[in-house]
């Protein structure tokens, strides 16, 4: 505020100073101009006789020399002689403008000139005609230069001050205008205090207004908290309400949609949940035909059956409302009422249906995974029963296959059990101090032979010293061996598998890189899903449950860590496991 | 403040990335209100990346839970840090919300 006044005073003083200086100086300029004009007139008058005399005797050279000397000595800006029609006969400053040859017959009269500055003196050259001598001593340049400089500087200063004042005034008026708008909005019933805040950057009043709004917001919140507290502590509202209110309150406390229908199948009543499920509000739904509340033709058809007054049967059907991610599966139970009309009970079963689909897919895939080893066992057993006892080699071969398949079954069942435990929240991690060095030594020993059998180069890049961490040793080992087992399984003969381990103060990082078949980006994004197997035909030839990586991910997450993969098809994959060394273990969610 | 969303089956989780304070409270409330409306109430607010909630943020949360109250449901919160939990306790607002340990538990509550 004070700053604005100071700027205003400074502006007024500056403008007044510039105006006074400009007035004084412009008078000086007018005087200088007048003196210059008088000097031009005197020179022209003194010159006319001499020039006329020389031109009369056709001595243009002498006349030009006289004019040039005078122009140089008197610093004239214009010094020339013209004929009556404007033809330049002599010019001390611009020789190029001079006619090269004088006409044989000179004009007898002189045309008027609009020049305001040059002195014009008309003189008759005997026997030839009139000439005009134009002399101009020029503008008072020094004074003019001072004036221009001062005018520019002063004008610039004035403009700057005016702009500054304008901006300050505009900011202030805009701030006040916004506050005024906010007040008008409040007067009009605006309840949302966020909508009546103004821009604080405008001026001090904006920030002050916003502080008031915040204060009001806090007061309102406090009031709401007190009301909520009162509601909880006050005597039962049910005891003091009418029976109709009680029913309405009870119905509104349900996350189940209740819709009462008139005998003509129009909505008479609906609770809050029904309003949400049917994508509308109670006010709009009441009076609406029930069939119009659903877009599904099957649902309309089912509701049509209710209109038959003789029907007493309860109808149950499911219908989908909404689209995309918001699509909702509603389970509708419809029951006719005594005396006409009906009641609809709506339940949101969307998440249940998704869970059902997921469960069915799980069972289907689990069955498929279990069937393969069971079939192999059955076939081998049949072969064993048919084979003569003397064929020891064949019996041994079949028993070996049975043994392998039983182990495979055991692994699948174990994985499924672990995953179901994680999903059910019953998986118990047994946290303890885990010395990491022996863990990786055991893993290396377990897989070295397996890699050698497949002619793979398995490399363990372990630091000289590994820390001790808090975790479930068996589950962590399971997670790492599942990922490493996958890398060996999907790397063709002659390839490389490298296990790099490093640890800092906070986390353990295990990278398992292979030169295997790799994955497409789509496969890589789904590889940690249960039972997911890449669409690559090379994958389908290799046995696998599709549970190993899902289990590894779940175990790592339970340890507060994360697992990721980077893969290039036909080049290989790198899985990275990060586990905090001392993060509190989470229980299976 | 960035506000992320994640779809868990039929449930949408809104995950604000930072404190819910003055300037961000309106955007947060708007985002959750849209998710509630589009998913017919199947929405959870995951506060695992929210270290603090001021009075404006509390008011936004109250507005949202009151919006659901008429339909017999409370706003579901999960991943609530100690500070926010204390704020809810001190303001006596804890019982205005359903609070779950993490997003998985909150999503399962719709079953």
């Amino acid at each position: 505020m004070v700053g604005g006044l100071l700027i205003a005073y400074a502006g007024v003083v500056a403008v007044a100073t510039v105006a006074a200086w400009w007035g004084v100086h412009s008078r000086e300029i007018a005087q200088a101009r007048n003196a210059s004009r008088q000097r031009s007139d005197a020179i022209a008058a003194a010159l006319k006789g001499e020039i006329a005399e020389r031109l009369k005797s056709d001595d243009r050279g002498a006349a030009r020399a006289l004019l040039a000397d005078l122009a140089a000595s008197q610093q004239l800006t214009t010094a020339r002689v013209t004929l009556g029609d404007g033809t330049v006969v002599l010019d001390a400053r611009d020789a190029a403008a001079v006619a090269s040859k004088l006409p044989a017959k000179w004009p007898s009269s002189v045309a008027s000139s609009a020049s305001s500055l040059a002195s014009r003196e008309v003189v008759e050259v005997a026997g030839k005609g009139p000439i005009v001598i134009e002399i101009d001593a020029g503008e008072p340049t020094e004074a003019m230069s001072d004036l221009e400089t001062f005018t520019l500087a002063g004008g610039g200063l004035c403009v700057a001050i005016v702009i500054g004042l304008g901006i300050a005034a505009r900011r202030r008026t805009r701030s006040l205008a916004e506050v005024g708008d906010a007040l008008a909005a409040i007067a009009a019933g605006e309840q949302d205090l966020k909508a009546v805040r103004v821009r604080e950057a405008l001026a001090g009043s904006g920030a002050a207004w916003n502080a008031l709004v915040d204060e009001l917001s806090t007061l309102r919140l406090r009031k709401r908290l007190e009301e909520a507290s009162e509601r909880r502590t006050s005597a039962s509202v049910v005891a003091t309400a009418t029976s109709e209110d009680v029913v309405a309150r009870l119905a509104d406390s349900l996350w189940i949609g209740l819709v009462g229908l008139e005998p003509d199948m129009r909505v008479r009543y609906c609770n809050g949940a029904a309003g949400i499920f049917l994508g509308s509000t109670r006010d709009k739904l009441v009076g609406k035909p029930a069939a119009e509340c659903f877009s599904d033709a099957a649902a309309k058809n089912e509701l049509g059956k209710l209109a038959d007054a003789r029907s007493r049967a309860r109808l149950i059907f499911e219908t989908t409302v909404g689209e995309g991610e918001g699509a909702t599966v509603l389970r509708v139970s419809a029951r006719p009422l005594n005396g006409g009309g009906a009641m609809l009970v709506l339940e949101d079963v969307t998440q249940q249906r998704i869970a059902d689909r997921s469960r069915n897919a799980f069972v289907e895939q689990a069955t498929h995974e279990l069937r393969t080893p069971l079939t192999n066992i059955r076939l081998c057993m049949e072969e064993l029963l048919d084979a003569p006892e003397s064929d020891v080699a064949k019996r041994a071969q079949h028993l070996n296959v049975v043994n392998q398949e039983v182990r495979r079954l055991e692994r699948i069942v174990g994985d499924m059990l672990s995953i179901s435990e994680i999903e059910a929240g019953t998986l118990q991690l047994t946290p303890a101090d885990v010395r990491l060095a022996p863990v990786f030594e055991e893993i290396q020993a377990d897989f070295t032979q397996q890699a050698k059998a497949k002619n793979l180069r398995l490399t363990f890049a372990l630091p000289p010293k590994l820390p001790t961490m808090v975790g479930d040793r068996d589950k962590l080992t399971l997670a790492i061996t599942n990922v490493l087992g996958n890398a060996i399984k999907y790397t063709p003969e002659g390839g490389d598998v490298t296990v790099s381990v490093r640890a800092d103060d906070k986390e353990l990082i295990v990278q398992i890189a292979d030169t295997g078949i790799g994955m497409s980006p789509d496969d890589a994004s789904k590889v940690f899903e249960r039972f997911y197997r890449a669409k690559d035909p090379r994958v389908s030839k290799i046995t696998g449950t599709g549970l190993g990586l899902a289990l590894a991910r779940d175990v790592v997450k339970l340890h507060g860590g994360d697992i990721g993969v980077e893969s290039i098809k036909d080049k290989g994959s790198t899985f990275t496991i990060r586990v905090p060394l001392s993060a509190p273990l989470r229980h299976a969610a | 403040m960035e506000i992320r969303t994640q779809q868990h089956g039929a449930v949408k989780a809104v995950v604000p990335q930072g404190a819910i304070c003055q300037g961000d409270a309106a955007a947060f409330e708007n985002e959750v209100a849209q998710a509630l409306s589009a998913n017919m109430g199947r929405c959870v607010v995951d506060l695992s990346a929210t270290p603090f909630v001021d009075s404006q943020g509390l008011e936004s949360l109250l507005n949202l839970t009151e919006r659901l109250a008429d339909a017999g449901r409370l706003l579901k919160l999960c991943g609530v840090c100690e500070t926010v939990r204390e704020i809810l306790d001190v303001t006596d607002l804890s019982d205005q919300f359903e609070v779950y340990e993490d997003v998985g538990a909150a999503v399962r509550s719709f079953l």
Side-chain angles (χ1 to χ4, degrees):
Chain A
M1 187 71 181
V2 175
L5 278 174
L6 282 176
I7 292 173
Y9 287 140
V12 170
V13 170
V15 170
T17 307
V18 170
W21 202 94
W22 193 84
V24 170
H25 213 70
S26 58
R27 205 172 65 180
E28 286 176 4
I29 291 219
Q31 287 171 351
R33 272 186 181 158
N34 200 26
S36 175
R37 181 65 180 248
Q38 286 174 0
R39 196 160 69 90
S40 299
D41 289 347
I43 291 169
L47 202 59
K48 65 182 182 183
E50 290 292 327
I51 294 292
E53 194 61 34
R54 281 167 174 72
L55 289 177
K56 181 184 171 188
S57 57
D58 287 334
D59 191 357
R60 203 154 54 132
R64 186 184 300 118
L66 176 64
L67 200 61
D69 288 346
L70 199 65
S73 63
Q74 295 296 321
Q75 293 183 331
L76 303 176
T77 54
T78 305
R80 66 181 175 186
V81 177
T82 61
L83 298 182
D85 60 355
T87 304
V88 179
V89 178
L90 299 169
D91 194 327
R93 294 292 177 199
D94 187 6
V98 177
S100 56
K101 194 176 176 184
L102 294 177
K105 189 178 180 185
W106 291 14
S108 56
S109 61
V110 175
S112 62
S113 170
S115 173
S116 62
L117 199 61
S119 288
R120 300 179 84 236
E121 195 70 42
V122 180
V123 60
E124 185 70 22
V125 179
K128 292 186 181 289
I131 59 169
V132 180
I133 298 171
E134 292 182 2
I135 298 296
D136 189 351
E139 287 277 339
T141 53
E142 192 177 320
M144 284 298 288
S145 174
D146 281 354
L147 182 67
E148 281 168 5
T149 306
F150 188 79
T151 305
L152 278 174
L157 180 64
C158 288
V159 168
I161 289 169
V162 168
I163 289 173
L165 285 172
I167 290 171
R170 187 174 157 76
R171 284 180 64 178
R172 183 163 174 72
T173 52
R174 277 170 69 183
S175 172
L176 290 175
E178 285 201 15
V179 171
D181 289 346
L183 282 169
I186 290 172
E190 175 63 65
Q191 290 292 313
D192 184 4
L193 292 181
K194 296 179 200 83
V196 297
R197 289 175 66 83
V198 301
R199 285 174 292 171
E200 290 196 3
L202 286 176
S205 52
W209 171 261
N210 284 344
L212 278 175
V213 171
D214 291 343
E215 186 70 19
L216 182 58
S217 173
T218 307
L219 287 173
R220 278 195 187 175
L221 178 63
R222 193 173 296 162
K223 191 180 170 200
R224 284 177 66 181
L225 296 177
E226 285 169 1
E227 285 172 355
S229 176
E230 275 175 22
R231 275 202 302 274
R232 286 193 298 276
T233 55
S234 64
S236 168
V237 284
V238 175
T240 57
T242 64
S243 59
E244 199 170 328
D245 286 342
V246 171
V247 173
R249 280 173 190 272
L250 291 174
D252 282 342
S253 68
L254 296 172
W255 184 242
I256 292 174
L258 296 177
V259 182
L261 300 180
E262 300 275 15
D264 62 355
M265 293 295 111
R266 286 180 183 275
V267 175
R268 176 174 178 173
Y269 166 81
C270 70
N271 69 349
I276 290 178
F277 291 154
L278 298 176
S280 187
T281 60
R282 294 187 229 211
D283 294 343
K284 288 179 183 169
L285 286 173
V286 171
K288 195 174 180 180
E292 287 183 17
C293 299
F294 299 90
S295 55
D296 186 4
K300 290 177 192 287
N301 185 40
E302 292 288 342
L303 287 170
K305 294 176 188 171
L306 280 177
D308 183 355
R310 292 167 301 175
S311 171
R312 301 285 301 149
R314 189 170 68 141
L315 296 173
I316 298 177
F317 59 91
E318 288 190 5
T319 182
T320 302
V321 294
E323 292 176 347
E325 288 178 347
T328 297
V329 181
L330 289 180
R331 183 174 184 270
V332 183
S333 304
R335 176 145 213 166
L337 298 175
N338 286 335
M343 185 175 82
L344 305 182
V345 178
L346 313 175
E347 292 172 89
D348 179 1
V349 292
T350 316
Q351 191 69 354
Q352 285 93 320
R353 294 296 167 264
I354 289 174
D356 288 347
R357 280 201 298 275
S358 174
R359 194 178 303 117
N360 291 341
F362 180 88
V363 170
E364 190 180 322
Q365 296 197 48
T367 309
H368 175 74
E369 290 299 329
L370 292 171
R371 185 180 288 161
T372 310
L374 282 173
T375 305
N376 288 344
I377 290 169
R378 184 173 56 80
L379 290 174
C380 284
M381 293 305 290
E382 285 173 3
E383 288 282 329
L384 277 170
L385 290 172
D386 292 344
E389 285 187 16
S390 56
D391 193 347
V392 178
K394 196 168 186 180
R395 289 175 70 87
Q397 184 190 349
H398 287 311
L399 283 171
N400 196 32
V401 172
V402 169
N403 187 38
Q404 281 178 7
E405 294 300 335
V406 167
R407 282 177 180 277
R408 185 175 161 193
L409 270 176
E410 190 180 35
R411 199 170 58 248
I412 293 170
V413 172
D415 285 355
M416 284 168 61
L417 191 61
S418 296
I419 282 191
S420 65
E421 280 178 340
I422 287 170
E423 295 225 322
T426 55
L427 180 74
Q428 294 294 318
L429 293 181
T430 312
D433 286 347
V434 180
R435 288 175 56 230
L436 290 169
V439 169
F440 284 101
E441 282 166 13
E442 283 174 25
I443 293 172
Q444 189 170 6
D446 286 349
F447 281 88
T448 300
Q449 192 57 38
Q450 202 174 324
K452 198 173 176 183
K454 207 179 167 187
N455 196 23
L456 298 177
R457 285 179 295 277
L458 175 61
T459 311
F460 273 73
L462 301 175
K465 191 177 177 186
L466 276 168
T468 298
M469 66 174 284
V470 178
D472 186 317
R473 189 183 198 280
D474 292 343
K475 292 288 187 295
L476 276 173
T477 306
L478 179 72
I480 295 166
T481 54
N482 276 358
V483 178
L484 180 55
N486 254 32
I488 287 175
K489 200 191 295 183
Y490 295 109
T491 302
E493 283 194 18
D496 289 294
V497 175
T498 306
V499 181
S500 310
V501 183
R502 63 181 194 276
D504 54 25
D505 294 343
K506 293 178 180 172
E507 62 180 1
L508 168 74
I509 301 165
V510 183
Q511 277 193 320
I512 298 169
D514 65 57
T515 56
I517 59 177
M519 290 174 280
S520 66
D522 184 45
D523 284 335
S525 68
K526 296 174 181 167
V527 75
F528 295 107
E529 292 177 12
R530 284 178 307 166
F531 291 117
Y532 185 80
R533 301 205 66 201
K535 295 177 183 67
D536 193 320
R538 290 172 292 183
V539 173
S540 54
K541 287 179 188 166
I542 301 169
T543 58
T545 62
L547 290 171
L549 291 179
L551 187 57
R553 180 201 57 183
D554 290 341
V555 167
V556 169
K557 283 200 176 288
L558 283 177
H559 280 83
D562 201 4
I563 184 170
V565 62
E566 288 178 8
S567 187
I568 301 171
K569 201 167 174 62
D570 300 324
K571 297 280 184 187
S573 306
T574 300
F575 286 80
T576 304
I577 298 171
R578 292 174 179 273
V579 187
L581 294 178
S582 57
L585 296 179
R586 292 166 55 195
H587 293 291
Chain B
M1 177 183 62
E2 185 191 357
I3 299 173
R4 293 183 187 161
T5 58
Q6 297 166 346
Q7 195 73 25
H8 297 268
V11 182
K12 180 165 271 186
V14 180
V15 196
Q17 303 291 305
I20 307 172
C21 293
Q22 257 183 29
D24 303 316
F28 163 75
E29 187 178 334
N30 191 37
E31 183 79 31
V32 179
Q34 279 185 1
L36 284 169
S37 177
N39 286 266
M40 301 209 175
R42 293 187 307 274
C43 171
V44 300
V45 176
D46 183 354
L47 295 177
S48 56
T50 302
F52 180 71
V53 177
D54 76 351
S55 65
Q56 293 277 347
L58 278 179
E59 187 152 4
S60 292
L61 289 171
L62 264 184
N63 288 341
L64 291 164
T65 202
E66 282 182 5
R67 173 193 282 251
L68 288 169
D70 280 347
R73 180 162 273 191
L74 298 175
L75 186 66
K76 292 173 191 281
L77 307 179
C78 64
V80 184
C81 72
E82 195 59 35
T83 308
V84 176
R85 200 179 284 269
E86 277 181 19
I87 290 169
L88 293 175
D89 286 342
V90 166
T91 52
D92 203 17
L93 285 178
S94 298
D95 56 359
Q96 300 290 312
F97 306 97
E98 288 180 28
V99 182
Y100 295 90
E101 186 70 20
D102 57 26
V103 74
V107 169
R108 272 197 297 280
S109 72
F110 285 93
L111 284 172

